[in-house]
Structures are given as structure tokens and as C-alpha cells.
């Protein structure tokens, strides 16, 4: 019967084919539960696992295709397809839906489903897409509609499938039929879900094909047409918008920027209405209204928005400050602001010609000339004339060096500086660019600027460019860093230069670490270099500081992963710890967080044995045996995955437990040698401190010599991705500093340095010593035999410099 049904064409809803298919699936389900042997025989059949194996259309929705497969095989919902394909829990309606498993039960190649998948698998970096349009490395602002459905029943009825266009969150209207999409069942009024019997059938049994669809606004229909065209890479430059949309500007944007701009602009229009703001489906309609009749409706929207924002900040004078929230969201957005320049240009024109309630900064229009012969100048003019940084000027005003005069009253008051009575700043001993100043301190430019904003990097009044750094200030800051007290190294340390290469939350977080080191809140356990970046900090204290920063940005709440790091608990025990009232949970916007107060209380009361084991270089089981033998009270926290519980002890018993361990055979045993990662890190640190370079072979790092120098096998470099990355990063730094990529380039650089310094070539028997020269250049001596041009280059140089060489010899 199964073979016969596979050859029969797809049956209608009322025909006998689907009825037999349902019967067959019911029998297979019973056999799979009650008769494993019969089920295994069915699985070993050469036929595909599913009876109906349709192929996807080129522009079909992935989840719509899953629904169509379930309907074709007589399943009541797609859950049966997920079960047969063994889709992991949590990935059924996720961007990382495993299309390979679905292709396996369809008897098709995975490549046939990859065009409609949401995950791009052609490169190593994780990225998302829809059809052939990239969506970036993450799905911020939820550009895809995954949990709910919104479809056009007319299109689904005509085409026989759901188009991928409806997977977009901004897709709320059909550009073909000019109607609003169907997001809820017309009978039960429940939101339309993917869990339903068919494309046009609700879970309640109602037919979606009979639903009455409201006509879409013309502007919204045209905006959806533009999105639909960009999705399918149809850029019609002759598109004429009857609703007055800025079609050329919208069509020139990339697809990812376009859909995110539509959602972002709509959210700004709904921001003052909390109920509407939570309903994301209203954002595209608001955006269409704002962009229609361009730019008049845009100006009207800005006028209404400005009236609302002025009530929040009535004392703001500048246009940007008055529209601060809108300006930041739309014009400082890294995702689409670079391609939405037409919105910013029209915003500035609105403020200059129509708004009339704000002070327009001259930088929006290119600035102006500063009158040099004036006695009274504004603060901006003085800063430009004498090249004073704004925070420096504010300190000079507070110290009385600059005499100010206030003119005007109220919100229109301005501050002028009397140059005749003021003490102007002195000349600088030397100016440095931000890049050179940061390189001298071994910290990033953005971090140095943030330290200057915070006052950690102290600035004395100088004449100089607004963004210039002065050499004496940089040197004073470096000397201050080298004079900071160094504590005895107790734990593993990490240098500031290594911390600066980590992916933290912006320059503010990195500057906070340096500020904490200068304030003594993070212990300094060593110095790798006599610079700020060379300070070695306590790694445990740095980790706690980073967690503290992230907790503050999250309203004093920890995620479960962060709470595990902050307490030392395993992540699988956090849920049980909350149930046991060891930690307190708080739910915000549907997400469960751990309060900071409960984490601090836990750390003040308990310590995990796994944390102590890492600190003492032992095992948690060893510490548990010591606790059991000496009657030290332990509390065990169960894990959610039913593995071995995690043990914790009171902080009051920590010192006694450490003392017992040190007296035990495990404590007296020799500590384990450093790991391979620590050896490589120390080896690279020695090379950096001594100014030496990596041993090379044919211009590339010689892994054999590196492994020998670190006392390990060469295979460790290939097996350990962290070690390989450290060597690759160090190699990149050497190449950027001038390390040659080819033997001929390395030799030329070596001969150039020898000629410039006046040193002679090393000789052996009156001829150039090729072994020493090859080692100095970073390649093998055999390269002279392999490359005749290399040997000719050396002999030509030796012939020209023969008198100098003989003189030195």
C-alpha cells in the first residue's frame, strides 16, 4: 500500500488519498511505539521516509514549506514532520533550522533546501539570510517573523505555497493584491500560528481562504512593493511612486538596511504610545505614512515628535539635544544610518527652515571663520583659535584662568570669554596625534580618549589642536603608570594590552578597567612593559569587574550565564539554586534574570568547591573527601541535567579547608606543570620583551622550533585552536611591524639594515656566513640553494661591501 500511494499523485482534501495517508501514519506511529522491530524494518526501506516528498519553490518560505510537507503527507501539524526528522528541541522555529535533517526524510539533497534556509553556511562566520539577501551576523530588531504567521490567502491559494516575503517582520501587506495580510484567524480570532493543519486551514478547522481582507493603504502597498523588489534583487530605477515615496533613495539601500530602517522609523513614530509600540506590526504602516508625500509628511512627523520631546527636555537649546532620542536611533545606528543619509539631510533642513525652536550648531553646515581681532569670543571660537580641548577649557574657567561674561537671559543666554583679562594657555612642548599617543601607551585610541574624558588622563592647559595630545601629558601619564604599586603575584595575571584586544562593550568598559587599576580597585601583579598596556592585572578581579559592569548596564541584574560566572556555580545548577532560594530570580520582558543582591549574598555566604579546586590546582572530589573526613558541612546543589551535584561550603570554613588540604598528601604533592597554552603565552611574552622574532621557515612561523622552545609536541599547535590563534596574532603583529613574507624580502631588509647601520656581514672562511644570515632573516639556509636569485643578491652585496666587511673582520 505504501509503494502504491507513493506513485499516486497528491490527493485532494476530500479524496481518499489523504485518508489512506493518515491511516498509514497512524499505523507507523503505533508500530514505532509498540513494535520496534517492525519500525526498524520500515526505516531500513530504500524508499524515502515520507510518502509525499515535494520539492521547494525558489522563493518559498522555509517554514511554509515544512507546513506544505506536513499537509501533503496527511499530518495534522508540522510537529509530526519535526518528530520524523528528529529536529532538536528549540530549533523547530529557529533561524538555525537544520534543513539537512528535513532533506534526509524527503530523500533530497541538502543543497536543494539551502536557498530557502535562514542560515548562510558558505563561510565560517555565522550569518543569516533570507533567500539570497544577507541579514548580517545577528538578528537584532527581529527582522524575521518565526513564531507567528502573516500571509496573503489569495497568493497562497493561487501559488500553492507561502512566499518567503511573508517571513519578514515588515511584511504586513500584499504588494500584489493591495490588501492587508492575514495575521489572525477570522473565526477563532487567535493569532495565526505555524502549528496548523494546512496552508489555508486554521488549527480550529476554519478555512483561511474565505477570510475578508482589508484593503491596504496605497503608500503601504507601494512600500511593500519596494521591499518585495529588493528581496528578489529587482532594482527598478524607473519606479514611480504615486504616494510620493522617496523611491530612488529606498531602492538604492541594501536589503538589510532597508527593512531595519522601516522598522526603526516606525518605532520612533510609535514611541510615545506604549500600547502601539509593543505591536511591531504597526511600524511599517507608520513608516509608509511618514515617507509618503516626501518630504512634507516627514516634516509634519518631526514637528509632532519635537513637541512631545520638548516636554521631556524643555531646557534643551540645540536641535540634536531636542531630538536626542530620535537622532541617536536613526543617525547613529551602525546598521542602516550610513545608507539613510537622505533622512539626516532632510532632518537638518527641517531644523534650519521649519522648526525655528533650536540653536543649529555650525558644524551641521561646515562652520564659519573665527574673528581674530575680537576681544570677546564664544567658547567655541576660543577653542578653535587657541586649539583648546573643551574639558580643558572648562577647567580653565573653573580655575579663573579664562574670564567669562554672560550675555542674554533665560534659555537664549550665551557665554563669552574676555581675552584681555584672561590668562591664555601656554605653548606645548610637542604635539602628538591620538594614534601616536595611544601607541606610546600601548592602548587603543578610543580608550585613551575615554580616559581623557574621565580625567584619568590628566591634561594641562596648552595651545594645540582640539583633538591633539601633548607629549608632556603623555609622558606624565606613562610615568604615573610605572610608579603604581605592584602586589605579589598570587593568581594568573593578564596584561592591559591583552585586555584591550578582547571584545568588551565599547571603549567605556575598557577604560573602566584601566581607571580601576589606577584607583587601586584592581590589583597590579606585574609589569610586562614600562607602559600602561604593560601593566599585568589580577585576572580574577578583572573578570569580576567586567561582570559588574555588565550587571550595571542590565539594571543590576545578571543573566544566568553571568550569575554562574559571578558565583562559581555551574550553569546547570542555577535553576535549582533559584528553587532552593540560594539565588533570587526576577523576570523582565519574559526573560529570567538573577538579582545582584542575591549574588552578593551568596558570595558572602558560600564558596563552591570547584572554585577552590581551580585556585589550589586540585580536584573538587579531593576537597569533598577532605570535607567528609573532617566533618566540614557541605551543601550540594543538584543539576538540571541530573548529573553529579555541585558541592559548596560556607565562607567561614574556607580557611580551615585550605589548611587541611595543604597538610594532606594532595596538597604536599608537587603542583602540576603549566599548561601548553601558558607555555606558549610565556614564550611569546619573552620574545616581545627581548625584541626577538618568531623562528620562521620560508617566511612563515616554524612550528617545530616554536614547539621545541615551549617544551611540547608540534601537534599541540594543530590540536589547540587557542595556541594557533596566539601564534597567528603574534605573526600578524610582526608582519605589520615589517617582518618579511618572502625570503628575498627578508634578505633585502637585512642587507638594508646592515648598510644603514654600517655593520659588516658575518663571515666564514672569508665568505658570507649563509647560516647566520639565514637565521637572522628568519628562513632556512637551504633557501640559498633553492633560490639562485637569493644567493645572487647576497653575493652582489658582499662584492660591493667587501672593503667594509674586511675592515670589520
Amino acid at each position: 500500500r505504501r509503494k502504491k500511494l507513493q506513485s499516486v499523485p497528491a490527493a485532494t482534501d476530500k479524496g481518499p488519498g489523504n485518508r489512506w495517508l493518515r491511516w498509514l501514519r497512524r499505523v507507523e506511529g503505533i508500530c514505532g511505539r509498540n513494535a520496534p522491530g517492525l519500525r526498524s524494518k520500515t526505516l531500513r526501506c530504500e524508499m524515502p521516509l515520507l510518502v509525499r516528498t515535494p520539492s521547494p519553490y525558489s522563493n518559498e518560505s522555509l517554514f511554509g514549506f515544512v507546513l506544505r510537507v506536513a499537509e501533503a503527507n496527511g499530518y495534522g501539524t508540522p510537529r509530526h514532520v519535526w518528530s520524523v526528522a528528529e529536529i532538536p528541541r528549540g530549533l523547530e522555529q529557529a533561524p538555525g533550522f537544520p534543513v539537512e535533517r528535513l532533506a534526509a526524510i524527503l530523500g533530497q539533497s541538502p543543497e536543494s533546501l539551502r536557498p530557502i534556509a535562514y542560515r548562510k553556511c558558505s563561510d565560517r562566520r555565522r550569518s543569516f539570510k533570507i533567500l539570497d539577501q544577507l541579514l548580517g551576523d545577528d538578528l537584532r530588531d527581529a527582522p524575521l517573523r518565526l513564531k507567528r504567521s502573516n500571509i496573503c490567502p489569495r497568493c497562497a491559494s493561487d501559488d500553492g505555497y507561502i512566499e518567503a516575503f511573508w517571513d519578514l517582520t515588515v511584511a504586513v501587506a500584499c504588494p500584489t493584491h493591495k490588501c492587508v495580510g492575514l495575521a489572525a484567524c477570522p473565526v477563532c480570532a487567535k493569532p495565526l500560528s505555524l502549528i496548523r493543519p494546512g496552508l489555508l486551514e486554521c488549527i480550529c478547522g476554519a478555512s483561511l481562504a474565505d477570510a475578508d481582507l482589508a484593503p491596504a493603504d496605497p503608500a503601504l502597498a507601494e512600500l511593500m512593493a519596494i521591499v518585495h523588489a529588493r528581496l528578489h534583487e529587482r532594482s527598478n530605477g524607473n519606479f514611480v511612486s504615486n504616494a510620493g515615496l522617496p523611491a530612488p533613495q529606498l531602492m538604492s539601500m541594501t536589503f538589510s538596511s532597508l527593512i531595519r530602517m522601516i522598522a526603526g522609523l516606525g518605532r520612533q513614530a510609535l514611541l510615545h504610545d506604549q500600547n502601539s509600540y509593543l505591536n511591531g506590526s504597526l511600524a511599517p504602516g507608520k513608516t509608509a505614512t511618514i515617507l509618503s508625500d516626501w518630504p512634507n509628511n516627514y516634516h509634519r512627523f518631526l514637528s509632532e515628535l519635537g513637541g512631545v520631546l520638548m516636554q521631556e527636555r524643555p531646557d534643551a537649546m540645540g536641535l540634536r539635544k531636542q531630538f536626542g532620542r530620535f537622532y541617536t536611533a536613526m543617525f547613529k545606528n551602525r546598521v542602516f544610518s550610513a545608507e539613510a543619509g537622505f533622512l539626516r539631510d532632510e532632518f537638518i533642513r527641517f531644523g534650519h527652515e521649519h522648526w525655528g525652536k533650536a540653536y543649529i550648531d555650525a558644524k551641521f553646515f561646515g562652520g564659519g571663520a573665527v574673528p581674530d581681532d575680537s576681544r570677546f569670543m564664544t567658547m567655541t571660537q576660543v577653542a578653535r583659535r587657541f586649539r583648546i580641548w573643551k574639558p580643558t577649557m572648562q577647567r580653565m574657567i573653573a580655575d579663573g584662568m579664562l574670564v567669562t561674561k554672560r550675555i542674554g537671559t533665560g534659555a537664549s543666554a550665551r557665554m563669552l570669554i574676555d581675552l584681555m583679562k584672561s590668562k591664555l594657555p601656554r605653548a606645548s612642548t610637542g604635539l602628538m596625534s591620538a594614534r601616536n599617543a595611544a601607541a606610546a601607551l600601548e592602548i587603543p585610541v578610543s580608550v585613551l580618549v575615554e580616559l581623557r574624558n574621565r580625567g584619568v588622563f590628566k591634561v594641562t592647559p596648552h595651545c594645540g589642536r582640539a583633538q591633539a595630545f601633548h607629549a608632556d601629558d603623555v609622558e606624565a601619564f606613562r610615568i604615573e603608570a610605572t610608579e603604581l604599586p605592584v602586589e605579589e603575584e598570587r593568581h594568573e595575571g593578564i596584561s592591559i594590552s591583552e585586555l584591550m584586544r578582547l571584545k568588551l562593550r565599547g571603549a567605556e568598559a575598557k577604560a573602566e578597567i584601566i581607571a580601576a587599576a589606577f584607583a587601586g580597585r584592581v590589583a597590579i601583579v606585574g609589569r610586562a612593559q614600562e607602559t600602561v598596556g604593560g601593566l599585568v592585572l589580577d585576572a580574577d578581579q578583572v573578570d569580576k569587574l567586567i561582570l559588574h559592569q555588565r550587571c550595571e548596564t542590565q539594571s543590576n541584574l545578571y543573566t544566568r550565564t553571568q550569575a554562574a560566572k559571578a558565583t562559581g556555580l555551574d550553569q546547570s545548577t542555577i535553576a535549582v539554586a533559584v528553587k532552593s532560594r540560594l539565588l533570587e530570580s526576577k523576570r523582565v520582558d519574559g526573560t529570567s534574570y538573577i538579582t545582584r543582591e542575591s549574588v552578593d549574598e551568596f558570595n558572602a555566604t558560600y564558596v563552591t568547591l570547584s572554585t577552590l579546586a581551580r585556585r589550589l590546582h586540585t580536584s573538587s572530589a579531593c576537597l569533598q573527601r577532605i570535607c567528609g573526613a573532617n566533618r566540614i558541612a557541605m551543601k550540594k546543589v543538584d543539576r538540571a541535567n541530573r548529573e553529579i551535584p555541585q558541592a559548596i561550603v560556607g565562607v567561614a570554613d574556607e580557611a580551615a579547608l585550605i589548611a587541611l588540604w595543604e597538610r594532606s598528601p594532595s596538597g604536599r604533592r608537587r603542583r602540576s606543570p603549566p599548561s601548553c597554552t601558558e607555555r606558549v603565552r610565556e614564550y611569546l611574552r619573552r620574545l616581545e620583551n627581548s625584541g626577538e622574532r618568531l623562528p620562521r621557515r620560508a617566511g612563515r612561523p616554524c612550528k617545530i622550533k616554536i614547539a621545541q622552545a615551549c617544551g611540547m609536541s608540534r601537534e599541540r599547535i594543530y590540536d589547540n585552536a587557542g595556541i594557533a590563534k596566539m601564534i597567528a596574532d603574534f605573526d600578524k603583529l610582526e608582519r605589520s611591524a615589517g617582518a618579511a613574507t618572502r625570503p628575498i624580502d627578508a634578505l633585502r631588509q637585512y642587507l638594508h639594515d646592515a648598510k644603514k647601520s654600517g655593520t659588516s656581514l658575518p663571515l666564514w672562511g672569508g665568505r658570507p656566513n649563509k647560516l647566520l644570515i639565514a637565521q637572522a632573516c628568519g628562513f632556512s639556509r637551504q633557501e640559498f640553494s633553492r633560490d639562485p636569485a637569493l644567493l645572487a643578491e647576497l653575493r652582489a652585496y658582499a662584492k660591493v661591501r667587501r672593503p667594509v666587511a674586511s675592515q670589520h673582520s
Side-chain angles (χ1 to χ4, degrees):
R1 181 59 181 174
R2 183 183 182 93
K3 295 180 180 179
K4 179 183 277 188
L5 283 176
Q6 189 179 15
S7 61
V8 176
T12 61
D13 293 341
K14 298 181 179 180
N18 280 344
R19 188 164 60 251
W20 277 106
L21 284 173
R22 294 190 185 96
W23 174 84
L24 179 60
R25 285 300 167 203
R26 196 154 50 243
V27 171
E28 287 184 347
I30 295 173
C31 293
R33 291 191 298 269
N34 302 329
L38 181 57
R39 182 63 174 172
S40 61
K41 291 179 181 179
T42 306
L43 290 176
R44 287 195 298 267
C45 182
E46 296 180 358
M47 297 171 57
L49 187 57
L50 294 182
V51 176
R52 300 294 184 188
T53 57
S55 299
Y57 293 92
S58 60
N59 61 338
E60 186 173 6
S61 164
L62 174 60
F63 292 151
F65 174 66
V66 175
L67 180 59
R68 187 162 64 88
V69 170
E71 184 180 15
N73 284 272
Y75 289 139
T77 64
R79 287 195 179 99
H80 300 285
V81 176
W82 299 334
S83 175
V84 173
E86 298 181 357
I87 303 297
R89 187 174 183 180
L91 293 182
E92 301 94 340
Q93 293 176 265
F97 182 86
V99 296
E100 298 83 2
R101 295 176 178 265
L102 180 60
I105 67 172
L106 293 175
Q108 300 176 10
S109 170
E111 300 300 324
S112 63
L113 297 184
R114 294 196 192 279
I116 65 173
Y118 303 124
R119 180 70 65 84
K120 183 176 177 60
C121 301
S122 60
D123 51 5
R124 294 184 178 180
R125 297 184 60 185
R126 183 188 70 173
S127 59
F128 301 95
K129 68 179 184 67
I130 178 171
L131 298 185
D132 293 329
Q133 297 294 341
L134 296 179
L135 296 177
D137 296 339
D138 54 50
L139 294 178
R140 295 178 184 175
D141 303 327
L144 293 178
R145 182 186 291 116
L146 302 176
K147 301 298 182 182
R148 299 293 181 186
S149 294
N150 194 334
I151 64 172
C152 175
R154 300 174 186 174
C155 291
S157 178
D158 296 342
D159 301 334
Y161 63 93
I162 298 176
E163 191 178 352
F165 168 76
W166 294 102
D167 288 343
L168 298 171
T169 307
V170 298
V172 295
C174 178
T176 304
H177 298 95
K178 306 295 189 297
C179 61
V180 178
L182 184 65
C185 177
V187 177
C188 64
K190 292 183 179 180
L192 203 59
S193 172
L194 178 65
I195 312 300
R196 59 181 191 269
L199 298 179
L200 298 175
E201 183 178 354
C202 180
I203 192 67
C204 67
S207 175
L208 305 179
D210 302 331
D212 294 332
L213 303 178
D217 183 77
L220 178 60
E222 290 187 0
L223 184 61
M224 294 296 101
I226 292 176
V227 174
H228 190 273
R230 294 296 297 118
L231 173 63
H232 297 287
E233 297 183 348
R234 295 195 303 267
S235 57
N236 187 2
N238 299 325
F239 183 86
V240 178
S241 173
N242 298 325
L245 296 174
Q249 292 88 335
L250 296 177
M251 295 293 286
S252 63
M253 298 179 67
T254 60
F255 180 78
S256 177
S257 300
L258 175 63
I259 61 175
R260 284 180 166 87
M261 184 276 295
I262 293 174
L265 184 58
R267 282 195 298 267
Q268 291 301 312
L270 299 171
L271 200 58
H272 61 279
D273 187 353
Q274 188 66 21
N275 295 329
S276 300
Y277 179 73
L278 295 177
N279 188 359
S281 61
L282 300 178
K286 284 290 184 180
T287 301
T289 303
I290 293 171
L291 297 180
S292 62
D293 191 18
W294 179 262
N296 298 326
N297 282 350
Y298 184 53
H299 291 172
R300 296 189 189 98
F301 156 70
L302 292 175
S303 297
E304 296 174 1
L305 181 63
V308 175
L309 297 179
M310 282 291 291
Q311 297 177 3
E312 300 177 2
R313 297 193 61 181
D315 57 339
M317 292 178 55
L319 179 66
R320 178 172 176 176
K321 290 185 177 181
Q322 291 179 357
F323 290 83
R325 185 167 55 190
F326 174 79
Y327 190 94
T328 302
M330 298 303 299
F331 307 135
K332 291 296 182 180
N333 190 304
R334 297 182 179 179
V335 179
F336 60 81
S337 59
E339 300 183 46
F342 67 100
L343 292 176
R344 183 181 184 276
D345 295 341
E346 202 59 41
F347 169 76
I348 296 174
R349 192 170 76 88
F350 159 78
H352 182 60
E353 298 179 3
H354 302 282
W355 182 233
K357 299 179 183 179
Y359 169 72
I360 311 298
D361 199 301
K363 67 182 180 181
F364 284 110
F365 306 99
V370 178
D372 295 334
D373 55 350
S374 297
R375 173 182 174 181
F376 297 98
M377 290 186 178
T378 64
M379 296 176 62
T380 302
Q381 292 171 344
V382 172
R384 289 178 179 175
R385 178 177 176 182
F386 295 98
R387 296 178 295 175
I388 306 175
W389 194 45
K390 183 179 179 181
T392 304
M393 178 176 291
Q394 292 175 348
R395 287 193 292 269
M396 294 176 67
I397 293 175
D399 296 338
M401 298 180 64
L402 297 180
V403 180
T404 60
K405 179 180 179 180
R406 187 180 182 86
I407 61 172
T409 58
S412 60
R414 301 295 298 274
M415 190 75 68
L416 298 180
I417 297 178
D418 189 349
L419 299 183
M420 184 177 294
K421 297 180 180 180
S422 300
K423 296 180 180 179
L424 301 178
R426 61 184 176 86
S428 174
T429 56
L431 292 176
M432 299 179 66
S433 65
R435 185 183 297 273
N436 292 336
L441 299 173
E442 290 189 342
I443 57 177
V445 174
S446 58
V447 176
L448 178 59
V449 173
E450 181 65 23
L451 291 174
R452 184 170 64 176
N453 294 338
R454 298 186 177 200
V456 179
F457 179 86
K458 299 178 178 58
V459 179
T460 55
H462 290 94
C463 292
R465 295 190 297 271
Q467 297 298 328
F469 287 84
H470 304 279
D472 48 358
D473 291 340
V474 175
E475 181 62 19
F477 188 58
R478 188 192 67 81
I479 294 175
E480 182 183 0
T482 57
E483 293 177 351
L484 292 174
V486 178
E487 298 183 5
E488 182 181 357
E489 186 171 357
R490 296 163 296 178
H491 307 296
E492 184 179 359
I494 181 171
S495 66
I496 290 180
S497 60
E498 292 176 334
L499 286 171
M500 297 300 103
R501 291 193 289 267
L502 298 179
K503 290 186 178 180
L504 302 179
R505 295 195 172 184
E508 297 82 2
K510 296 180 179 180
E512 178 62 25
I513 297 175
I514 299 178
F518 274 75
R521 290 183 280 119
V522 175
I524 301 174
V525 297
R527 290 193 183 92
Q529 296 286 346
E530 295 297 321
T531 58
V532 176
L535 296 177
V536 180
L537 308 182
D538 191 316
D540 293 339
Q541 296 183 9
V542 171
D543 291 340
K544 292 181 180 179
L545 179 62
I546 294 174
L547 284 175
H548 177 71
Q549 293 175 359
R550 292 176 177 173
C551 179
E552 287 184 344
T553 59
Q554 297 166 177
S555 302
N556 288 331
L557 296 174
Y558 288 100
T559 63
R560 296 200 170 190
T561 303
Q562 294 170 354
K565 293 181 180 179
T567 58
L569 290 171
D570 190 81
Q571 192 170 353
S572 62
T573 64
I574 295 296
V576 180
V578 172
K579 292 181 180 179
S580 305
R581 298 184 178 273
L582 295 175
L583 297 173
E584 181 181 352
S585 176
K586 184 177 181 181
R587 202 165 187 84
V588 178
D589 296 335
T591 304
S592 180
Y593 294 90
I594 308 299
T595 61
R596 178 181 174 183
E597 293 80 6
S598 64
V599 171
D600 294 341
E601 183 179 355
F602 179 89
N603 290 332
T605 309
Y606 301 102
V607 60
T608 63
L609 290 186
S610 57
T611 302
L612 284 178
R614 285 194 300 269
R615 189 190 310 170
L616 300 175
H617 300 285
T618 183
S619 64
S620 178
C622 176
L623 297 180
Q624 290 189 41
R625 288 193 297 269
I626 295 175
C627 290
N630 296 274
R631 297 183 179 180
I632 296 178
M634 288 187 301
K635 181 177 289 188
K636 294 189 177 182
V637 185
D638 294 332
R639 303 177 189 265
N641 52 13
R642 298 182 179 179
E643 292 184 359
I644 300 175
Q646 187 173 12
I648 60 177
V649 297
V651 174
D653 299 329
E654 179 181 357
L657 177 58
I658 294 176
L660 291 171
W661 176 83
E662 290 178 346
R663 292 196 298 268
S664 67
S666 299
R668 293 192 299 269
R669 191 181 304 151
R670 183 188 176 194
R671 300 295 187 269
S672 59
S675 62
C676 295
T677 303
E678 296 173 350
R679 297 179 198 172
V680 174
R681 185 182 292 111
E682 181 62 27
Y683 171 70
L684 297 178
R685 187 181 294 116
R686 290 198 306 267
L687 290 182
E688 185 177 4
N689 294 340
S690 61
E692 300 179 6
R693 291 181 175 180
L694 286 171
R696 296 181 179 273
R697 181 181 179 87
R700 290 175 295 184
C702 182
K703 296 183 176 61
I704 295 180
K705 293 185 178 180
I706 295 174
Q708 291 174 352
C710 297
M712 63 181 187
S713 174
R714 183 182 62 173
E715 282 70 20
R716 295 295 181 214
I717 301 178
Y718 298 101
D719 297 340
N720 194 318
I723 294 178
K725 185 178 184 304
M726 283 193 295
I727 297 176
D729 292 342
F730 196 87
D731 177 41
K732 187 183 297 183
L733 291 175
E734 284 192 351
R735 291 177 185 274
S736 62
T741 58
R742 297 184 305 166
I744 188 68
D745 296 331
L747 178 63
R748 289 171 180 172
Q749 183 65 35
Y750 172 78
L751 297 178
H752 174 75
D753 295 341
K755 180 180 179 181
K756 187 176 181 181
S757 60
T759 58
S760 59
L761 293 176
L763 301 179
W764 177 262
R767 290 179 294 179
N769 191 325
K770 289 182 281 187
L771 177 61
L772 295 180
I773 294 174
Q775 291 177 352
C777 295
F779 55 81
S780 175
R781 180 183 181 277
Q782 281 73 22
E783 293 294 333
F784 286 105
S785 303
R786 298 171 185 166
D787 191 354
L790 200 66
L791 184 59
E793 187 87 15
L794 177 62
R795 289 176 175 174
Y797 179 85
K799 183 177 181 180
V800 174
R801 305 290 294 178
R802 187 181 300 277
V804 178
S806 61
Q807 179 181 357
H808 284 280
S809 59

